[in-house]
Amino acid sequence: MSRPKHRGTLGRVLPVVSTEVERPLLLATMLVALAACPSDDAVTPVDTEGTTGEPSTTSTTEPTTPTVTEPGTSSSESTATEPTASESTAADTTEGDAICGDGLVGGDEECDDRGESATCDPDCTAAICGDGVVNQTAGEECDDRGPSETCTETCLVPSCGDGIVDGDTAEECDDQGESETCDADCTAVECGDGVLNTTADESCDDGNGDDFDFCNNECTPADAVVLDMVHVFDTDTGELDGEAQTSWDPTSSTWYLTGLEITNAGILTVVGTNALTIEVEGDVVITGLLDLSGGDGGGPTAPLCGTAGVGGLAGPGGFDGGAGAGNGGSGTENGEPGQGPGGAPASGGTSSTVIDGSFGGAGGGGGGHTMAGANGLGNNGGTAGTGGEAHMSLPPLIGGGGGGGGGVEKDGPLGAGLDPGDDEGTGGGGGGGAVRINATASITVTGTIDASGGDGGNDQDCPQNPGHGGGGAG
């Protein structure tokens, strides 16, 4: 009868006493094999018995083959991990090795945002207005390292209306628009600077210091006048109906207006020694009467006609007529000459001489203007008056010459001189005035502009036959 046999891993036959004796021997044998192998290959012992402590009489253990793990593979699904290079290196933190734009702050860099950002300049310095580097991302339009004519202290291009007063430019103020103290062009408010500022109560601003034009030095515009009644304007005082006009320039006798209308019912009579210039910024409409005519000469006082007639007053810029001959007039047998521009007065009529025992007086000469005045008529042998000489009116603006006064009608004997009973002569008419009207828009005249000379005086209240005064020039 043979005993059961068990084949060991080393090839020897050993008597089997029990499984509890055999297993320790098998483990020892495997450990020896593992220790003898210098390989990193893993060998896994295999327990084929799987006993629970009960003796076995027939089981044998087969040799096991070590499992070898090839590089890069694993039977347990695990792989070796290679070392991973870090994204940060010590090179960018070393003095002198920093690279601006790599996103790493190192060396002398103050920042590095891989380019321009709101807080970092492209040269890796902090974005600061005044550093000389224009950083548009940070809102800089310029950077001159301080205020200049082309760049403000806040690194913006100077612009009137931005609320920043740049002293290196022409800005005197900047209230981001028109204010009571600052014009829209960033200059201080000043009447006469040519900039209309309605916030500062300017109604006009013509950019000059002339106080007598369309806009005075308080930036108040000239009046727009509508005349629908009887009115008088005096060129000596600049008054309309006795009220001074703020837009009257006495040096040039110019009335500045922003509109002029003389209606159908309106009459504007102009008096004074100076010719009138009317400057209108706007329209001129005359459907009524603009009167600049000379006055008529006066006649001897009735009923005795012992006082000579006075000369007529001239229109503005014209010349007065001469007084008649005799008492209260010229004081002589000849009438006064009418007035005119220097060197060319109209001559007064001379007294008559006795012819065949008859007496009479001659008429004065007419005033002159662009043509010579007409001579006065002789009466009963009296010598006629001489008309005034011609003179031009433009330039300067000059009215007509006055007519000469008429001669006396003598009642006394020849050579006796003036007699209280003589009939004195009449006055000459005043010369017509002159006016110039300029308008920036239009001038419409459907009414009348009268600049005629006055008539010589008449003798209708005297029984005798005095000499008549000459008419003034228109």
Side-chain angles (χ1 to χ4, degrees):
M1 181 176 176
S2 61
R3 296 178 180 178
K5 296 179 182 178
H6 182 83
R7 188 177 298 276
T9 57
L10 297 180
R12 293 182 295 178
V13 177
L14 297 178
V16 177
V17 180
S18 70
T19 58
E20 292 182 2
V21 175
E22 183 178 338
R23 291 180 65 186
L25 178 59
L26 178 61
L27 291 172
T29 303
M30 294 179 65
L31 289 173
V32 171
L34 289 172
C37 183
S39 173
D40 290 336
D41 295 340
V43 179
T44 305
V46 178
D47 184 359
T48 60
E49 289 292 326
T51 60
T52 59
E54 296 295 327
S56 173
T57 60
T58 61
S59 65
T60 61
T61 304
E62 293 296 329
T64 59
T65 302
T67 301
V68 179
T69 303
E70 294 295 329
T73 64
S74 172
S75 61
S76 60
E77 297 299 325
S78 62
T79 58
T81 303
E82 293 294 332
T84 302
S86 172
E87 291 187 0
S88 63
T89 63
D92 207 16
T93 59
T94 304
E95 183 74 24
D97 293 335
I99 301 175
C100 181
D102 61 2
L104 304 175
V105 179
D108 292 333
E109 295 179 346
E110 298 176 356
C111 56
D112 195 324
D113 290 350
R114 299 182 186 275
E116 178 182 284
S117 71
T119 58
C120 193
D121 286 336
D123 62 357
C124 291
T125 58
I128 300 174
C129 176
D131 59 7
V133 180
V134 178
N135 188 320
Q136 295 181 346
T137 307
E140 294 181 355
E141 298 177 348
C142 56
D143 197 320
D144 290 351
R145 299 184 185 276
S148 69
E149 291 185 0
T150 58
C151 194
T152 68
E153 61 183 3
T154 57
C155 291
L156 299 175
V157 175
S159 176
C160 178
D162 58 9
I164 301 172
V165 179
D166 191 343
D168 292 303
T169 65
E171 291 186 354
E172 299 175 355
C173 55
D174 195 322
D175 289 349
Q176 295 183 299
E178 179 183 282
S179 71
E180 291 185 358
T181 58
C182 191
D183 286 334
D185 64 353
C186 292
T187 58
V189 174
E190 182 179 0
C191 180
D193 59 8
V195 180
L196 177 63
N197 188 322
T198 57
T199 307
D201 294 329
E202 290 185 350
S203 299
C204 60
D205 197 319
D206 56 7
N208 63 47
D210 190 350
D211 198 27
F212 308 110
D213 55 9
F214 300 121
C215 183
N216 63 25
N217 289 344
E218 295 180 355
C219 286
T220 301
D223 294 330
V225 176
V226 177
L227 305 175
D228 55 4
M229 299 174 62
V230 177
H231 304 271
V232 177
F233 189 90
D234 191 336
T235 63
D236 291 333
T237 62
E239 294 177 345
L240 175 64
D241 299 330
E243 182 177 349
Q245 300 298 291
T246 58
S247 55
W248 169 253
D249 185 357
T251 60
S252 62
S253 298
T254 302
W255 192 16
Y256 289 92
L257 299 170
T258 52
L260 172 62
E261 180 180 1
I262 303 175
T263 69
N264 288 327
I267 298 175
L268 176 61
T269 300
V270 183
V271 299
T273 59
N274 301 306
L276 175 64
T277 297
I278 302 175
E279 295 282 353
V280 180
E281 191 174 60
D283 296 312
V284 174
V285 178
I286 300 175
T287 56
L289 171 63
L290 175 59
D291 186 6
L292 304 103
S293 62
D296 295 337
T301 56
L304 300 177
C305 299
T307 303
V310 298
L313 297 176
F319 300 91
D320 294 337
N327 296 314
S330 67
T332 67
E333 295 177 358
N334 298 323
E336 287 183 339
Q339 298 178 13
S347 300
T350 58
S351 62
S352 63
T353 57
V354 176
I355 298 176
D356 297 333
S358 299
F359 304 94
H369 190 219
T370 56
M371 296 183 296
N375 294 332
L377 296 176
N379 186 6
N380 291 335
T383 304
T386 304
E389 297 180 6
H391 63 274
M392 298 299 294
S393 62
L394 299 174
L397 192 60
I398 298 176
V408 69
E409 191 276 325
K410 295 178 63 175
D411 291 333
L414 180 62
L418 289 176
D419 185 279
D422 294 337
D423 290 336
E424 274 69 10
T426 67
V435 63
R436 177 190 291 120
I437 302 174
N438 297 322
T440 60
S442 65
I443 300 175
T444 304
V445 180
T446 57
T448 302
I449 298 177
D450 185 359
S452 61
D455 294 334
N458 64 72
D459 61 350
Q460 64 183 2
D461 294 325
C462 298
Q464 303 298 324
N465 194 14
H468 293 176

